Amino acid sequence: MATLILKRAFVIVIAISLIAGLVACQTPTPAATTTAAPAATTAAAQTTAAAQAATSAQTESATEAAEPPEIDEELKKTALGWVELAKSAEPVVFPLADGSVTFTVFSGFPTGPRQAGMASMKEHTAIQKFVELTGINLEFYHSPENDDGTYFNTMIASGDWPDIIKSNFDRYPGRIIGAITDGIIVDYTDLVYQYAPNFLNTIGIRGDNTRRNVVSDEGLIMRILCEINDVGIPGEDYPGLEGRQHTGLIMRKDWLDELGLEEPRTIDEITEALIQFRDVKGAEFPFAMGKILTEWINDNNNAIASAYGVSIRGYQIDGDGNVQYGRVMPEYKDFLKLMRLWFDEKLIDSDFVSRVGGDANKLFINGNSGMLVIGNWGIREVLQLGQIEDPNFDIVPLQAPRLDDPNAPNNLAWPYESGNSGTTIHISTTCSDYVLAMKWIDSLYTQEVLELMTWGVGDLGDGNQTFFINDEGLHEWSDFINNNPLQPYNTFRFVYSYQDFQSSYDIDMQKQQYNSPKNILAWEKWSHNSSNSGRLPDGVSLAAEEATRVSELQNVITTYSDETIMNFIFGEEDIEDGFDAYVERIYSLGLPEIIDIYQRAYLRFMAR
């Protein structure tokens, strides 16, 4: 049964790996809610050639701009240099256009606006104000809710791309570099130095580590609109998001108290608590585990696998700087044994193969589960909804459990690091005006637009407002947002704010969002003696040919590995008898070549 489920679940992965060769697909329309699945083909070059031929004329006209000024190459290499370059770049002056220009945009469509009945972000009050401010009209392309990537693949395969694409191209062969090489998006490096002073200054003042995270080995600027975290204010209780582990485990504190159990800090202690939840509290799903191998949040906190010193799905770095693949390490076998034990004991269930985070949250809120992986942004909402179900409902954040010593270092966490996370924004080669598009993107880094996207328009004109300035001169959500009966706070605030266009995390908002004792405690517990020093840095970039080769090999490895891992967990294959053969098979599928590519890329990254 598990094998069948996995085959169905992973068939889309194979299609995704070949998206550059998708053909004969219907072009998506802005704000569409459904789309046909693309037909896959291995002829990646066909799409590339067609795209380049179709857009060559537009590319020529779009890039007709003044010759770029002479720029000191040395200034490009340091954060302080970027601050200097920002002074000479053309400043943003509103409006950017006269209202006759329309950009099409592929970006996210949050739950709040969907539930509020909006057809697209075009109807959002913050976007309407942004259009008025910039003089540039916007039409949106949005993936359907719970889309598995099919919409994006179809859109890219069509060759008729929106002007602005917000995506990391994670599943495109070669990722961002591959998309540039294939003529889908623009290499906007020179445009940034000429027309993006606000971006340059924002990254520059954050230092060289942030600058290194947004450029490639060759110096191409690749990550605009990546996450820029607040750093807190010295002397205040609020510590800031930078360097904090932002996702992790929570557990029902009221259950622990009732059962007389201490907060668990080791794998054995967590196992015992889950057994008690099952036997005494009647929890049907003691650990409401989601899609552990594929869902981002599980990889981000890596809370259970890190106890064994392995990454649940990625590549890692040992103490000598050598790249390793966690899934073939001997310790991964021990992690799988734990998962098998939890499955046999009914502490986890087979539905986790397809369970998304929202469904796991519901199980936790309604009392069917006692442990959950969550982001700090969701704690307030879970508490609010849980206490509606049960007035005694309470939670406690758990540190990532260790095997023996609760204070042992965990170097496989993923604390927030500016420039190293978030979804980036790009200009497609079919855009008719690259310069104006670059100015529009840079306008997102102005204080005026940051406030708009973070807090909304303020006065809604109906007697309500989204925020006000308090006596201390700080932004504060209005009671209309904080206590609206229509939707929980963390859903409702996005009816009026738009995080996809938020260039930085605003410290006023962050302090209000995460200043509760539970939020501060979550950062403290999840970050306990933790770092990302054992992970392959997310900023590592591959050359186009390297990325294409890794994609070819890794998709086959991941498909085989995912299915076999599930078979181990569900007992369809014996871990003791089968793990060595599984490792041998992965090596035979090209793992040494991938490791060699990542090793070279890692060394280049460290030398930036």
Side-chain angles (χ1 to χ4, degrees), residues 8 25 45 54 126 175 187 257 282 382 423 428 457 468 473 518 551 582:
R8 291 175 178 171
C25 298
R175 302 180 71 175
D187 169 12
D257 292 344
V382 163
T423 305
S428 77
V457 298
F468 62 93
K518 294 289 187 189
S551 179
Y582 152 83

Side-chain angles (χ1 to χ4, degrees), residues 501-560:
F501 283 1
Q502 192 177 321
S503 59
S504 306
Y505 284 123
D506 180 272
I507 190 166
D508 288 1
M509 193 276 283
Q510 295 296 97
K511 285 175 65 176
Q512 187 173 163
Q513 175 82 351
Y514 301 115
N515 67 351
S516 77
K518 294 289 187 189
N519 293 125
I520 301 298
L521 184 62
W523 277 341
E524 179 185 322
K525 293 289 183 65
W526 296 342
S527 303
H528 175 66
N529 206 7
S530 295
S531 73
N532 62 356
S533 62
R535 285 184 181 261
L536 184 69
D538 198 47
V540 166
S541 63
L542 304 180
E545 62 276 11
E546 290 177 327
T548 299
R549 183 58 176 159
V550 166
S551 179
E552 292 171 354
L553 296 173
Q554 189 65 55
N555 283 323
V556 176
I557 287 174
T558 300
T559 301
Y560 166 72

Side-chain angles (χ1 to χ4, degrees), residues 1-298:
M1 181 61 179
T3 300
L4 178 60
I5 291 172
L6 264 294
K7 285 181 177 177
R8 291 175 178 171
F10 291 117
V11 67
I12 195 65
V13 175
I14 299 173
I16 288 169
S17 71
L18 301 170
I19 81 170
L22 301 174
V23 295
C25 298
Q26 181 180 355
T27 302
T29 56
T33 55
T34 59
T35 185
T41 166
T42 58
Q46 294 177 3
T47 297
T48 302
Q52 291 172 335
T55 63
S56 60
Q58 289 172 292
T59 301
E60 183 177 346
S61 62
T63 53
E64 286 178 359
E67 284 294 315
E70 289 293 326
I71 295 175
D72 186 340
E73 291 298 318
E74 290 304 309
L75 292 179
K76 296 180 180 180
K77 298 177 182 179
T78 66
L80 288 177
W82 279 28
V83 173
E84 289 301 310
L85 289 171
K87 297 174 183 177
S88 59
E90 185 174 317
V92 168
V93 178
F94 294 120
L96 302 175
D98 60 6
S100 62
V101 177
T102 298
F103 282 156
T104 50
V105 182
F106 173 77
S107 63
F109 194 15
T111 299
R114 288 182 192 267
Q115 291 183 352
M118 297 182 200
S120 82
M121 288 302 295
K122 183 180 179 180
E123 300 177 20
H124 196 281
T125 53
I127 294 300
Q128 291 171 349
K129 181 67 175 179
F130 185 43
V131 167
E132 179 185 328
L133 179 68
T134 60
I136 297 173
N137 300 304
L138 301 176
E139 297 286 345
F140 285 87
Y141 288 45
H142 298 310
S143 299
E145 196 166 14
N146 297 321
D147 179 59
D148 59 4
T150 299
Y151 182 91
F152 179 82
N153 298 349
T154 305
M155 180 184 74
I156 295 300
S158 73
D160 184 15
W161 309 307
D163 301 304
I164 307 293
I165 301 175
K166 193 164 191 292
S167 171
N168 290 334
F169 287 83
D170 285 339
R171 295 177 176 179
Y172 186 83
R175 302 180 71 175
I176 291 171
I177 294 295
I180 292 173
T181 302
D182 291 348
I184 295 171
I185 57 175
V186 174
D187 169 12
Y188 47 36
T189 304
D190 289 339
L191 292 168
V192 168
Y193 290 129
Q194 288 180 266
Y195 304 107
N198 296 290
F199 167 75
L200 288 169
N201 191 66
T202 298
I203 300 299
I205 63 177
R206 297 311 291 265
D208 279 307
N209 195 52
T210 300
R211 185 201 62 82
R212 182 172 66 174
N213 284 333
V214 304
V215 300
S216 72
D217 302 324
E218 296 78 20
L220 301 186
I221 296 172
M222 302 194 304
R223 296 181 61 80
I224 300 181
L225 221 60
C226 54
E227 291 178 349
I228 304 300
N229 307 314
D230 68 287
V231 295
I233 299 175
E236 293 195 4
D237 291 336
Y238 172 71
L241 181 56
E242 184 75 7
R244 307 291 167 185
Q245 177 64 35
H246 204 37
T247 62
L249 294 168
I250 60 173
M251 195 172 262
R252 285 288 296 266
K253 182 180 186 301
D254 52 319
W255 288 6
L256 290 172
D257 292 344
E258 180 184 332
L259 295 166
L261 297 174
E262 295 291 329
E263 177 188 319
R265 302 176 68 196
T266 66
I267 291 293
D268 286 346
E269 290 170 352
I270 281 186
T271 302
E272 176 58 27
L274 295 177
I275 290 172
Q276 292 293 312
F277 293 167
R278 179 197 67 194
D279 294 345
V280 181
K281 300 303 298 179
E284 188 177 356
F285 312 96
F287 178 16
M289 193 163 73
K291 295 190 285 187
I292 192 168
L293 298 182
T294 58
E295 199 165 44
W296 166 84
I297 195 169
N298 293 299

Side-chain angles (χ1 to χ4, degrees), residues 291-567:
K291 295 190 285 187
I292 192 168
L293 298 182
T294 58
E295 199 165 44
W296 166 84
I297 195 169
N298 293 299
D299 180 49
N300 179 271
N301 71 88
N302 201 49
I304 306 300
S306 63
Y308 298 90
V310 293
S311 170
I312 200 166
R313 70 177 185 183
Y315 288 82
Q316 47 193 96
I317 305 295
D318 69 13
D320 296 320
N322 299 310
V323 175
Q324 298 176 306
Y325 187 46
R327 289 189 176 190
V328 298
M329 295 170 63
E331 294 84 357
Y332 206 87
K333 179 180 179 181
D334 297 326
F335 164 67
L336 290 177
K337 287 180 180 179
L338 176 72
M339 291 293 98
R340 174 64 193 279
L341 171 67
W342 283 5
F343 178 73
D344 287 345
E345 291 291 329
K346 295 183 170 50
L347 307 181
I348 58 175
D349 67 292
S350 60
D351 289 345
F352 79 78
V353 172
S354 57
R355 181 180 294 127
V356 295
D359 292 336
N361 289 5
K362 291 174 185 176
L363 293 174
F364 187 77
I365 289 165
N366 66 25
N368 281 319
S369 170
M371 190 169 80
L372 178 71
V373 172
I374 196 171
N376 207 351
W377 59 89
I379 283 181
R380 178 174 174 174
E381 184 168 313
V382 163
L383 271 172
Q384 178 184 351
L385 296 177
Q387 288 171 355
I388 293 174
E389 295 282 337
D390 178 357
N392 295 317
F393 183 99
D394 197 7
I395 63 113
V396 61
L398 303 181
Q399 69 169 61
R402 274 54 163 186
L403 283 182
D404 300 305
D405 180 3
N407 297 311
N410 167 24
N411 65 358
L412 292 170
W414 201 332
Y416 266 43
E417 184 179 279
S418 290
N420 199 28
S421 57
T423 305
T424 56
I425 198 164
H426 302 276
I427 303 168
S428 77
T429 55
T430 54
C431 176
S432 62
D433 193 331
Y434 296 173
V435 170
L436 185 59
M438 189 74 258
K439 292 179 178 180
W440 179 88
I441 289 173
D442 191 57
S443 77
L444 297 171
Y445 284 85
T446 64
Q447 191 59 41
E448 189 171 0
V449 176
L450 174 60
E451 179 186 74
L452 177 62
M453 297 305 165
T454 304
W455 295 98
V457 298
D459 185 1
L460 293 169
D462 59 0
N464 292 309
Q465 57 186 29
T466 61
F467 73 94
F468 62 93
I469 305 298
N470 64 22
D471 293 340
E472 298 176 358
L474 305 177
H475 294 76
E476 194 170 321
W477 288 120
S478 66
D479 187 65
F480 172 69
I481 298 292
N482 270 327
N483 299 303
N484 195 287
L486 299 178
Q487 294 173 318
Y489 157 80
N490 206 42
T491 301
F492 190 69
R493 70 185 177 103
F494 291 119
V495 176
Y496 297 98
S497 62
Y498 191 39
Q499 192 166 316
D500 256 33
F501 283 1
Q502 192 177 321
S503 59
S504 306
Y505 284 123
D506 180 272
I507 190 166
D508 288 1
M509 193 276 283
Q510 295 296 97
K511 285 175 65 176
Q512 187 173 163
Q513 175 82 351
Y514 301 115
N515 67 351
S516 77
K518 294 289 187 189
N519 293 125
I520 301 298
L521 184 62
W523 277 341
E524 179 185 322
K525 293 289 183 65
W526 296 342
S527 303
H528 175 66
N529 206 7
S530 295
S531 73
N532 62 356
S533 62
R535 285 184 181 261
L536 184 69
D538 198 47
V540 166
S541 63
L542 304 180
E545 62 276 11
E546 290 177 327
T548 299
R549 183 58 176 159
V550 166
S551 179
E552 292 171 354
L553 296 173
Q554 189 65 55
N555 283 323
V556 176
I557 287 174
T558 300
T559 301
Y560 166 72
S561 176
D562 283 353
E563 183 168 347
T564 306
I565 284 171
M566 291 304 168
N567 287 340

